[in-house]
Amino acid sequence: MSTAGYDPYSGTTVTPGGLGKRAAARFVDWIVAALVGAILFWLLNKSAHVPGWVSVLPGAGFGFLYFLGFEVTTGSTPGKKLLGLHVNGAGGEPRPSVKESAFRNAYMLLNLIPCIGGVLWFVAALGIAVTVSSSATKQGWHDRFADGTQVVEAP
């Protein structure tokens, strides 16, 4: 059985991105987002003397904005671009909308919850891995929560 599907917007067949490539792309993006976020928040702390609690933002809030910004503007984060992946919006649109990307990446904000946020994030990420690997279209629960976004092999 093929997991490829017809994309009515481009008139071509799309191949869903597999779990391995998606995980590798996410890892690359975490590294990039962590480095950029750390530099930005270090500079902000040095220039504006922000409170210490802001240090949690590079890991969760900034990462969320990183994924949202790249997905909405280009359809691919740097990690996805490097590994030949692209995020389609609902219904095969070429990019997710702000709402779709925000819903798709909302689980990342669980890290902002004191004490149990990391555990909740891990459970959500594990659920994504299980639902991506068990889906014929390779869509995780977060893709379905975002009205049907889909990570596909870039054309």
Side-chain angles (χ1 to χ4, degrees):
M1 181 175 153
S2 171
T3 59
Y6 180 73
D7 180 4
Y9 291 93
S10 67
T12 61
T13 300
V14 295
T15 302
L19 182 61
K21 264 189 163 179
R22 289 175 69 164
R26 185 65 63 152
F27 183 73
V28 168
D29 285 322
W30 282 339
I31 292 170
V32 173
L35 289 173
V36 172
I39 291 167
L40 287 175
F41 281 89
W42 179 78
L43 290 172
L44 181 64
N45 187 38
K46 291 297 179 194
S47 65
H49 305 291
V50 296
W53 61 266
V54 173
S55 65
V56 74
L57 293 177
F62 180 77
F64 172 78
L65 293 175
Y66 169 92
F67 283 92
L68 184 123
F70 277 112
E71 287 179 2
V72 169
T73 58
T74 68
S76 292
T77 59
K80 285 182 182 72
K81 180 78 75 185
L82 180 69
L83 291 166
L85 297 172
H86 181 83
V87 182
N88 284 346
E93 288 286 335
R95 291 183 304 273
S97 67
V98 171
K99 176 187 169 193
E100 291 165 352
S101 184
F103 276 34
R104 184 174 189 282
N105 292 294
Y107 77 96
M108 295 174 66
L109 297 175
L110 292 170
N111 277 317
L112 292 171
I113 300 171
C115 301
I116 63 167
V119 172
L120 294 173
W121 173 87
F122 180 75
V123 169
L126 187 59
I128 289 169
V130 168
T131 53
V132 165
S133 63
S134 64
S135 166
T137 58
K138 303 300 178 205
Q139 290 172 291
W141 69 262
H142 67 310
D143 290 312
R144 290 191 295 275
F145 180 61
D147 295 330
T149 59
Q150 185 178 25
V151 176
V152 298
E153 297 282 339

